[in-house]
Amino acid sequence: MSVSSLTGSAGYVGLLTDLRDQLVERQRQLGTGERSLTYGGLESGRTLSLATNARRTEIEAFQATIQFAEVRLNLTDTVIGGIEDSFGEARGAILSDQFVTDGGTKTRAQDQADIMLRDMLGMLNTEADGRYIFSGRSVDVRPVEDPELILNGDAGRAGVKTIIDERTEADRGPLGQGRITTTPTATALTVAEDGTHPFGFKLTAITSTIGGAVTAGPSGTPPNVSLNLGLNQPIAGETVQIGLELPDGTTRDIVLTATDANPPGENEFFVGGTVAGAIGNIEAAVQTALQDVAATELSAASAIRASQDFFAGNTANPPQRIVGPPFATATATTAGTPANTVIWFQGEPTGDPREAAQATVDNGLTVNYGTKANEEAFTWALSHLAAFATADFNETLDVDKDRFQALKSRTATALAYPDGIETIARVRSVVAMAGITMDRTSDRQRDDLLFLDTVRESVEGIDINQVSAEILTLQTRLEASYQTTARIANLSLVNFL
């Protein structure tokens, strides 16, 4: 009788199968380093494993966002640095310019300013991965028009040069006196703005050291100031001073001094033999002084104001145009249209530039790092450079030399950025701070990943030494079981007896 059937019992076979399965599982663990293929196999550690892996996946997504944003940030910093350098070079050239045109209508500094201006306008069209970085949220829209179109326009649309010419004509007025008129009487002189409008000089004050004279204003509509001599004849050395505000917000005082010399010198008036004669002489001196300032400082201020208005325009708020022709007697402005005026900035017209690009780099942490070509830091410099670069001069005319000096001084001062105007360096530093925030967040997240890997390893990983020992134990038990099985399989009652 055979007893080999004992080896086929369910319990015994199950024991061998269990030992074999344990051995296979330990071998898998040793090969992969993982405790289990499923979260269920982790038993009590599955909750911690799920939380750890979820946070790790979240961090990896944040890291990908940071990596993408930093590519754009690095390019933005490089471009802004290039723009800043170009403005610096242009300012240096302007400061050193000595009004030499070499027979043309532009000085060397103007030529250099024109080159730098065109280069910077081109840099503001920089794109990364098909996204324009200075267009705000309108990343698929080329933000800046072609430099040639911006400066000179085309057959149907006015560029910045035309806008400047129209404004200059409107500011100087039909008499070339900055829209100021004079009206004398036998004993008094009234100086008035020629209407209620934004053009030309604006009267701010009048004073006099002439004994017994009475001054008044500015008052009335349109504003005027007056000088009343009464019966008082001016004496040599006494003065009349009229305060003026120019279109760019700067101020200028006309100071006229009485003299016994006839003819009088520059900014002087002959005392005259009568009060009426003195009034006539003062009026003539005022008119001459107004014309001189209008041809030089007013023209420079007008060019800058017009250029600023042009670069303040966008698709939602087109540049203002002078209602005309004629422009010399204009009294109002009207919004330009895309059909008659170049709209230099085509990107997102409004909104905070920084919020135009955002990156959520961690839970509760969003970094704003957008930029737009129409930010004050850029338009301030662009407008002043454009006013300087587009002006025409005749080297042989003294009045053009004075006009050049007025424009040069204003442009160089502006490119140094006065208080209250956002600078290119400031924009660059804000963008850099966004990058620093991302870098610090990324470093912290990498530390978090190392910690999470340690936690995950403790939950999902294995102790190699322990698993190796278990494998040896299982192999020994299986080998012993197989030997026992083999002996039992050969055992019979006859052999047993």
Side-chain angles (χ1 to χ4, degrees):
M1 176 180 179
S2 174
V3 296
S4 61
S5 58
L6 294 173
T7 63
S9 67
Y12 192 76
V13 171
L15 175 63
L16 293 178
T17 301
D18 183 58
L19 289 172
R20 184 189 61 194
D21 291 343
Q22 289 184 50
L23 179 60
V24 170
E25 175 63 13
R26 296 299 184 275
Q27 290 173 334
R28 183 201 64 76
Q29 291 177 345
L30 188 62
T32 63
E34 295 180 351
R35 187 183 300 275
S36 173
L37 294 174
T38 65
Y39 286 110
L42 297 178
E43 299 176 347
S44 62
R46 62 180 176 273
T47 302
L48 181 57
S49 177
L50 283 167
T52 300
N53 284 316
R55 176 56 181 163
R56 200 177 194 287
T57 300
E58 191 176 46
I59 289 177
E60 288 173 347
F62 288 139
Q63 290 277 292
T65 298
I66 292 172
Q67 185 177 12
F68 173 81
E70 284 186 331
V71 171
R72 177 169 173 165
L73 272 171
N74 290 336
L75 181 58
T76 301
D77 179 73
T78 300
V79 174
I80 295 177
I83 292 174
E84 188 176 19
D85 290 342
S86 293
F87 278 129
E89 291 179 27
R91 182 171 185 267
I94 292 169
L95 284 171
S96 62
D97 199 318
Q98 300 300 316
F99 191 56
V100 177
T101 64
D102 292 332
T105 61
K106 309 286 186 185
T107 68
R108 296 170 186 174
Q110 284 183 281
D111 290 337
Q112 186 168 351
D114 182 79
I115 293 172
M116 294 296 181
L117 179 62
R118 292 170 185 268
D119 185 45
M120 289 177 283
L121 288 168
M123 284 191 280
L124 290 171
N125 274 330
T126 299
E127 59 179 313
D129 295 327
R131 298 163 60 92
Y132 291 100
I133 63 177
F134 291 98
S135 196
R137 289 185 176 87
S138 304
V139 294
D140 58 339
V141 177
R142 187 169 179 262
V144 177
E145 289 281 14
D146 291 332
E148 180 64 24
L149 182 64
I150 290 173
L151 295 175
N152 297 311
D154 56 22
R157 294 177 293 172
V160 67
K161 182 173 175 55
T162 298
I163 301 295
I164 289 173
D165 290 343
E166 293 174 356
R167 175 73 196 229
T168 301
E169 191 174 346
D171 282 331
R172 293 188 64 179
L175 302 177
Q177 296 179 177
R179 306 298 292 266
I180 300 295
T181 62
T182 56
T183 304
T185 67
T187 60
L189 175 68
T190 298
V191 180
E193 298 174 21
D194 72 359
T196 303
H197 52 70
F199 308 119
F201 294 121
K202 300 304 170 188
L203 297 167
T204 62
I206 184 170
T207 59
S208 175
T209 63
I210 297 174
V214 176
T215 58
S219 60
T221 304
N224 67 86
V225 296
S226 63
L227 170 71
N228 193 327
L229 296 183
L231 300 177
N232 303 287
Q233 189 74 21
I235 299 173
E238 294 179 328
T239 62
V240 176
Q241 180 172 310
I242 299 174
L244 305 170
E245 181 179 341
L246 283 65
D248 64 348
T250 58
T251 58
R252 173 72 154 82
D253 291 331
I254 292 176
V255 181
L256 305 174
T257 304
T259 180
D260 291 327
N262 194 14
E266 184 178 3
N267 293 322
E268 293 181 339
F269 62 91
F270 179 53
V271 294
T274 64
V275 170
I279 288 293
N281 293 337
I282 294 172
E283 179 188 27
V286 168
Q287 291 175 341
T288 299
L290 287 171
Q291 291 167 5
D292 289 344
V293 178
T296 55
E297 293 184 48
L298 176 65
S299 292
S302 180
I304 289 173
R305 174 59 187 272
S307 188
Q308 287 178 315
D309 289 345
F310 176 85
F311 281 99
N314 54 56
T315 53
N317 182 32
Q320 292 293 303
R321 300 292 302 275
I322 311 298
V323 177
F327 299 110
T329 56
T331 59
T333 62
T334 186
T337 69
N340 64 22
T341 308
V342 175
I343 312 297
W344 80 280
F345 180 68
Q346 296 290 311
E348 181 190 18
T350 59
D352 187 337
R354 301 299 159 260
E355 294 180 359
Q358 299 178 323
T360 300
V361 298
D362 208 341
N363 292 324
L365 179 57
T366 297
V367 178
N368 298 327
Y369 63 98
T371 50
K372 292 201 292 188
N374 69 338
E375 294 186 47
E376 180 184 50
F378 302 127
T379 59
W380 177 264
L382 289 170
S383 61
H384 284 83
L385 269 187
F388 182 79
T390 57
D392 293 316
F393 298 99
N394 186 332
E395 188 177 347
T396 64
L397 300 178
D398 289 339
V399 68
D400 271 18
K401 181 177 182 179
D402 291 340
R403 178 164 61 92
F404 171 81
Q405 293 299 331
L407 185 57
K408 168 186 172 180
S409 175
R410 282 170 164 77
T411 303
T413 299
L415 293 184
Y417 284 89
D419 292 341
I421 301 297
E422 185 177 41
T423 66
I424 296 176
R426 169 63 179 167
V427 174
R428 190 178 186 186
S429 68
V430 171
V431 172
M433 283 303 300
I436 291 172
T437 300
M438 290 186 188
D439 287 340
R440 289 177 177 174
T441 302
S442 181
D443 290 342
R444 175 172 52 78
Q445 288 174 345
R446 280 193 286 268
D447 291 339
D448 289 347
L449 285 175
L450 292 174
F451 173 74
L452 291 171
D453 285 343
T454 301
V455 173
R456 187 175 68 170
E457 178 65 23
S458 68
V459 176
E460 300 178 6
I462 62 168
D463 183 329
I464 294 177
N465 294 326
Q466 180 182 343
V467 172
S468 298
E470 290 175 353
I471 289 174
L472 289 175
T473 299
L474 288 168
Q475 287 176 335
T476 300
R477 291 181 61 188
L478 271 175
E479 185 176 348
S481 298
Y482 287 149
Q483 290 176 353
T484 301
T485 301
R487 291 177 181 175
I488 292 175
N490 293 323
L491 188 64
S492 67
L493 184 58
V494 174
N495 292 334
F496 178 76
L497 293 174

